[in-house]
Amino acid sequence: MTAHQKKSALGLMVLAILLVSVNLRPAISSIGPLLGTIRTDLDLTSSQVSLLTSVPVFCMGLFAPLAVVFNRKLGLKASVAILVAAIGLFTLLRGILPTYPVLLISAFFIGTAIAIISPLLSAMIKRNFPTRTASLIGVYSFGMGLGATMAAGLTGVFYAIAGWPVALASWGLLAIAAILVWLRVKEPPAEASQVPVQGVAVVSPLRNKRAWYMLAFFGLQSSLFFSTITWLAPIAIEKGLSIVLAGAVLTVVSIVGIIGNLTLPLLLEKWPSRHLWILVSISSGAIGILLLMFAGSEFIWLAAVFLGVTLGGLFPLALMMPLDENTSADDVNSWTAMIQSGGYLISAMTPFSIGILYDRFQNHTITLSLLLAFLGLLFVFAFLLNNKTQDQK
């Protein structure tokens, strides 16, 4: 393979990674704007409908280790193609059979597919872009943010045109473009040696207190993210906004979050303190939630901006923690696997728990108080992690 052919192959791979990652959020984030409508049409409780976002997140934590099995049995390229097709088909199924059991089953299989795809994409990035992993992780994160933004903003529009089953199912069409490009990817032969999807640590993170702090931090920021995309639209609707405008509020959160993902590396170059930006992100979220709790409906849009800053900042900062902590690639992989698996299992319970509380009290003040509590706990763990010298004694 010539240098030009290799460059073209890597360029196509970047596009394929972007298109695959765009498919990893819409099936989850499209539920939020339609939560109340689905609950009413299918005669569900808030806790039942919130399972449609809790179940896939739970699967994202539980089934990630299956990536090793898929890679060994089918290979990386075939595995990702099959799993993206599964996301597309189960998403489309929601429009064909719009019943609660089908929605719940599709949530399970979509979450499982996302769980397995994520480490496979990370393996491809590590293998083919060893000196540019940060940039490619940025492409990967940007794709997920873009998918979440489109789903949050356009699902309400699709609902107004064709109803909620079509609005949910339409996101399955994204898989077609991703598969068409993915199947054309050819890894450069010199770069395509087998690497494990998951490394083996020299020292187990299970025995390290800081690894558990990072797991808690990742779980809390993930809880904040999934609870926000699930319940912010219903909160906005309760304050008098239409479904379309409530979806637009989520779009603002997602767009600001994407801008945060893109600008944070530049800010870290000038002011490299991770702790500083964690505190800025937490403070911004606290302002946004307090605006939702005590200000009028006209302040929802400003609150969305503050929440977008929080979600766009905390996620990449949480991803950087195991990289900052370790020098060995095996240790980084092992810490990341533990932190994300445990964190996603924690965050899977929060939208469901909020649904139970709302069924009981019919008041989103409790929802917002819980989100504020997450930020308070993030503040505590941020200081525990900043006290590295004390932890090593």
Side-chain angles (χ1 to χ4, degrees):
M1 182 178 283
T2 66
H4 176 71
Q5 289 173 324
K6 182 177 179 180
K7 187 175 181 180
S8 298
L10 291 174
L12 183 64
M13 195 181 301
V14 172
L15 177 60
I17 290 170
L18 174 64
L19 292 175
V20 169
S21 62
V22 166
N23 283 268
L24 303 185
R25 286 294 179 268
I28 302 173
S29 56
S30 60
I31 295 291
L34 301 175
L35 207 67
T37 303
I38 295 171
R39 184 181 65 223
T40 301
D41 281 6
L42 299 182
D43 194 23
L44 304 172
T45 64
S46 295
S47 54
Q48 284 177 315
V49 76
S50 66
L51 282 175
L52 300 179
T53 53
S54 290
V55 165
V57 180
F58 179 80
C59 293
M60 286 160 63
L62 191 62
F63 294 113
L66 289 179
V68 178
V69 178
F70 270 73
N71 191 40
R72 186 184 304 123
K73 298 292 186 182
L74 300 174
L76 191 151
K77 184 176 177 180
S79 295
V80 172
I82 291 169
L83 293 164
V84 172
I87 291 173
L89 289 173
F90 278 105
T91 303
L92 289 169
L93 187 63
R94 293 174 166 182
I96 299 170
L97 295 170
T99 64
Y100 183 64
V102 169
L103 293 176
L104 203 56
I105 291 168
S106 66
F108 175 86
F109 284 106
I110 288 168
T112 301
I114 293 170
I116 300 169
I117 287 173
S118 296
L120 292 175
L121 284 183
S122 296
M124 173 172 273
I125 290 170
K126 183 178 288 291
R127 180 163 65 198
N128 293 286
F129 303 91
T131 62
R132 289 174 285 175
T133 53
S135 298
L136 268 294
I137 290 295
V139 171
Y140 178 28
S141 300
F142 173 77
M144 288 196 293
L146 181 62
T149 301
M150 291 191 301
L154 296 176
T155 298
V157 177
F158 295 161
Y159 161 76
I161 296 171
W164 69 262
V166 173
L168 292 182
S170 60
W171 299 108
L173 299 175
L174 290 174
I176 297 173
I179 292 170
L180 289 175
V181 176
W182 182 263
L183 292 176
R184 293 184 60 203
V185 167
K186 293 181 180 178
E187 294 187 90
E191 308 270 357
S193 57
Q194 290 295 318
V195 295
V197 173
Q198 203 169 335
V200 179
V202 176
V203 179
S204 171
L206 293 171
R207 301 176 183 177
N208 191 300
K209 182 165 57 174
R210 290 181 60 78
W212 287 100
Y213 291 163
M214 291 178 192
L215 186 155
F217 189 94
F218 190 91
L220 287 164
Q221 68 81 26
S222 184
S223 296
L224 190 67
F225 173 81
F226 287 108
S227 297
T228 299
I229 67 168
T230 302
W231 289 104
L232 182 57
I235 289 169
I237 291 169
E238 190 174 84
K239 287 180 174 288
L241 274 64
S242 67
I243 289 178
V244 173
L245 285 177
V249 170
L250 278 180
T251 304
V252 170
V253 173
S254 299
I255 290 174
V256 174
I258 289 176
I259 294 171
N261 285 334
L262 295 174
T263 57
L264 184 62
L266 301 175
L267 293 171
L268 284 170
E269 284 184 12
K270 190 166 185 179
W271 298 284
S273 171
R274 307 284 200 258
H275 187 64
L276 168 65
W277 294 111
I278 288 173
L279 295 183
V280 169
S281 299
I282 292 172
S283 300
S284 179
I287 293 170
I289 292 171
L290 290 171
L291 284 173
L292 290 173
M293 292 178 78
F294 301 112
S297 59
E298 65 273 14
F299 286 93
I300 289 176
W301 304 98
L302 183 59
V305 172
F306 281 112
L307 287 170
V309 170
T310 301
L311 301 183
L314 288 179
F315 180 65
L317 287 165
L319 288 180
M320 291 176 195
M321 286 179 177
L323 281 75
D324 292 340
E325 194 74 18
N326 299 281
T327 55
S328 160
D330 286 338
D331 283 332
V332 168
N333 285 335
S334 182
W335 280 55
T336 301
M338 171 185 158
I339 290 164
Q340 293 195 14
S341 293
Y344 280 133
L345 288 174
I346 291 171
S347 61
M349 300 307 297
T350 50
F352 178 64
S353 300
I354 289 172
I356 292 175
L357 290 172
Y358 187 74
D359 282 337
R360 173 68 177 83
F361 298 103
Q362 296 294 309
N363 190 330
H364 277 306
T365 299
I366 295 173
T367 303
L368 294 169
S369 298
L370 190 58
L371 297 183
L372 203 58
F374 292 160
L375 289 169
L377 290 170
L378 281 166
F379 184 81
V380 171
F381 282 104
F383 272 94
L384 289 173
L385 286 164
N386 194 48
N387 194 14
K388 188 172 183 178
T389 303
Q390 184 68 32
D391 286 334
Q392 292 176 338
K393 288 181 179 179

